[in-house]
């Protein structure tokens, strides 16, 4: 049941990604901004839902490889890079930012 739920959520997120691209195009966004914003939101949701596991990278690779085969466009590579960078930002950088101590008047930035 857990695997079926994950597959359903992944397919639903792909559908939402497509609808976001169509909606942002309808609003008159620039094509590149549209794709970057949509892939950022897609990467954010997938990373958040699957809690930053390596499964996210496999899902991104599978989806964007399929899109690259279908569309044969370089924009797909840009979307893949954006989603992977969101993943890396959320899993590698975000936890480190929680430990940064930014109190006024102190020169120490990190507490280890």
């Amino acid at each position: 049941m857990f695997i079926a739920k994950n597959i359903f959520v992944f397919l639903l997120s792909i559908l939402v990604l497509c609808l976001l691209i169509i909606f942002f195009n309808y609003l008159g966004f620039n094509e590149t901004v549209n794709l970057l914003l949509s892939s950022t939101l897609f990467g954010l949701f997938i990373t958040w839902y699957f809690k930053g596991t390596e499964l996210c990278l496999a899902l991104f690779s599978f989806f964007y490889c399929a899109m690259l085969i279908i569309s044969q466009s370089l924009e797909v590579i840009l979307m893949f890079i954006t989603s992977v960078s969101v993943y890396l930002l959320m899993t590698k950088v975000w936890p480190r930012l929680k430990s940064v101590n930014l109190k006024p008047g102190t020169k120490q930035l990190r507490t280890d």
Side-chain angles (χ1 to χ4, degrees), residues 33-45:
V33 173
N34 181 358
L35 295 177
L36 285 175
L37 185 62
S38 299
S39 63
T40 301
L41 292 174
F42 178 69
L44 190 71
F45 176 74

Side-chain angles (χ1 to χ4, degrees), residues 11-96:
L11 292 175
L12 189 64
S13 66
I14 291 172
L15 178 68
V16 170
L17 173 69
C18 296
L19 291 176
L20 274 175
I21 291 172
I22 292 169
F23 180 69
F24 289 150
N25 190 28
Y26 176 76
L27 290 177
F29 279 53
N30 182 3
E31 180 182 342
T32 306
V33 173
N34 181 358
L35 295 177
L36 285 175
L37 185 62
S38 299
S39 63
T40 301
L41 292 174
F42 178 69
L44 190 71
F45 176 74
I46 292 296
T47 305
W48 172 75
Y49 182 77
F50 289 105
K51 299 188 181 24
T53 61
E54 285 74 26
L55 179 63
C56 296
L57 293 175
L59 293 173
F60 290 147
S61 300
F62 170 73
F63 174 65
Y64 287 120
C65 283
M67 277 184 55
L68 186 63
I69 290 170
I70 292 170
S71 70
Q72 297 178 354
S73 173
L74 290 178
E75 283 109 10
V76 175
I77 297 172
L78 178 68
M79 290 176 70
F80 175 70
I81 291 171
T82 304
S83 294
V84 170
S85 63
V86 167
Y87 166 78
L88 291 174
L89 183 76
M90 288 183 67
T91 58
K92 305 295 183 205
V93 177
W94 194 263
R96 290 183 183 176

